[in-house]
Amino acid sequence: MRINPQHAARLYLHGLTSLHLRERVDDAHVDWVLQRSPPVEVPAGHVVLRQGDPADAALLIVHGELCATVHAESGEREVGAAGAWDVVGETALFAPTQPRSATVRAARDSTCLRVPRALLEEGRENPVVAAIEYHLLHTLTHRLRSTNQGIVEAMAEGAARRGEA
Amino acid sequence: MSTEALRVGAQTLAGAYPEVGANAEELLSLLRACRLRSYAEGEDLCVEGEPSQQLYIVLEGAVQVERANDGAPIRIEVRAPTLLGTMGIVDRSRRTATCTAIRGTALAATMDRDVFRTLIRGTDGRGIALRRLMLTVLTRQLIDGNDRLRTLVASADRHGEGDPLRSALLRAGR
């Protein structure tokens, strides 16, 4: 059954706001966001972000699945997957000079909301925008915790290898 | 502590983090919701393993961040202006490092969890400033962390140790 993207995005934003602000907001606040950031349907296999491109927006995944790959000297390698409620490309919003660090494709048919910095600026007093920012805060916290753990493990693995040599 | 110290702190934050997009008045209103506190050299702001009860906006001085790491401590030094205790206040986890004032006195605006939980959901100037200040600091820390992780993997590759480190990179989702 085909999911109506507008309906799915409206439910998503109401859910996001209830989750983070613990209140139900007026439809008008949700509609304001959807008018400026209409849901984007992404067919399976379609590239949504390309490594090296200028970064100008984050993507909120309403439903579906995206996968990220990085082109390195050793070739293309997959570095992660993201599903509904996840965010990709979030560093674009508060470090706009950083190019995209990975290429992101739809692993299956997906729906996303594109969040440019301008949406945050124009919607400063919209509670749905506040909920989106709080969601980004949780996403960055989770990512930074994973990265810090990765650094600790990488240092430990490296030290262990050197100790064995 | 004087209003002037808060005003200088707000201007310092606005200058150091232009990506925040909040003006000095909004940052000043945020700092007014905090308690300003001095930490003498050697004094701990927070201790690894303790519950995360406060957010620290370090306005002056330097702080050592130390993670015990099973007897192989990892230490970094951070300088004002910066934020400490961001992750724990968001996800309610325990402190993953001990933060200690070094090289003299450190001045920090501290925000209790209850105040944080109220302000972070707000659409007034304080809520906007708080969310965006935290988003900016976490974004910079994430970019720096990813660069460090990639450097570790690249270094390991050069020494033929790449496989386990690449596993760590994958586990970190990078």
Side-chain angles (χ1 to χ4, degrees):
Chain A
M1 187 179 75
R2 183 179 180 275
I3 298 171
N4 179 311
Q6 192 77 12
H7 181 62
R10 180 171 280 107
L11 285 176
Y12 171 88
L13 289 175
H14 272 298
L16 198 72
T17 309
S18 296
L19 175 69
H20 292 305
L21 305 191
R22 295 178 184 170
E23 65 179 59
R24 178 168 172 84
V25 293
D26 292 341
D27 285 344
H29 291 306
V30 171
D31 290 341
W32 185 94
V33 171
L34 291 176
Q35 282 166 9
R36 284 156 185 79
S37 180
V40 180
E41 291 184 274
V42 189
H46 187 82
V47 172
V48 290
L49 306 175
R50 196 175 297 279
Q51 185 176 355
D53 279 358
D56 57 355
L59 292 177
L60 310 182
I61 305 173
V62 176
H63 82 86
E65 184 178 1
L66 307 181
C67 68
T69 57
V70 170
H71 183 74
E73 288 176 14
S74 53
E76 193 92 347
R77 68 165 194 272
E78 188 172 330
V79 292
W85 299 97
D86 287 336
V87 183
V88 296
E90 67 283 350
T91 56
L93 295 171
F94 291 87
T97 58
Q98 289 280 318
R100 296 293 186 199
S101 59
T103 294
V104 178
R105 290 181 179 82
R108 56 190 173 92
D109 291 350
S110 303
T111 301
C112 301
L113 287 173
R114 186 174 175 278
V115 178
R117 180 64 192 252
L119 183 79
L120 305 185
E121 293 305 329
E122 292 166 16
R124 287 167 69 89
E125 296 178 2
N126 185 327
V128 179
V129 171
I132 290 172
E133 290 183 346
Y134 198 13
H135 195 57
L136 292 168
L137 201 49
H138 277 276
T139 298
L140 282 168
T141 296
H142 176 72
R143 294 234 199 284
L144 185 56
R145 209 173 274 295
S146 296
T147 293
N148 287 346
Q149 187 59 32
I151 290 170
V152 169
E153 290 178 17
M155 291 174 72
E157 299 259 19
R161 278 294 177 99
R162 284 190 294 276
E164 289 170 10
Chain B
M1 208 67 73
S2 72
T3 300
E4 184 56 25
L6 292 178
R7 192 172 296 281
V8 170
Q11 289 168 348
T12 303
L13 286 170
Y17 298 105
E19 307 95 320
V20 170
N23 60 44
E25 282 305 311
E26 288 170 327
L27 289 164
L28 179 59
S29 67
L30 175 65
L31 293 181
R32 282 186 173 138
C34 303
R35 282 181 298 176
L36 209 50
R37 193 183 154 188
S38 293
Y39 293 85
E41 182 170 346
E43 188 177 0
D44 293 335
L45 286 75
C46 59
V47 176
E48 184 173 357
E50 289 184 346
S52 301
Q53 298 293 351
Q54 290 181 315
L55 174 70
Y56 303 88
I57 306 174
V58 183
L59 299 172
E60 292 176 16
V63 175
Q64 176 180 273
V65 180
E66 178 176 329
R67 184 169 173 157
N69 194 35
D70 293 332
I74 299 171
R75 297 185 186 95
I76 60 166
E77 181 180 328
V78 297
R79 292 180 176 278
T82 191
L83 268 59
L84 295 172
T86 48
M87 292 189 290
I89 203 94
V90 171
D91 66 10
R92 305 180 187 196
S93 57
R94 289 179 177 269
R95 298 292 183 208
T96 55
T98 296
C99 299
T100 309
I102 55 171
R103 305 185 198 288
T105 302
L107 179 67
T110 67
M111 180 181 293
D112 291 340
R113 172 184 291 282
D114 289 345
V115 176
F116 170 82
R117 289 175 64 181
T118 300
L119 294 188
I120 200 70
R121 296 182 168 96
T123 53
D124 63 352
R126 296 177 304 176
I128 293 167
L130 177 59
R131 282 191 301 276
R132 295 183 179 189
L133 186 58
M134 293 181 76
L135 285 165
T136 301
V137 170
L138 284 170
T139 297
R140 287 193 190 181
Q141 290 175 348
L142 181 61
I143 290 168
D144 290 346
N146 286 339
D147 286 347
R148 188 170 181 202
L149 194 50
R150 286 192 200 97
T151 301
L152 282 167
V153 171
S155 171
D157 274 341
R158 284 196 295 275
H159 294 89
E161 302 168 342
D163 289 345
L165 295 191
R166 192 169 293 107
S167 298
L169 189 69
L170 281 167
R171 282 195 296 277
R174 295 290 176 273

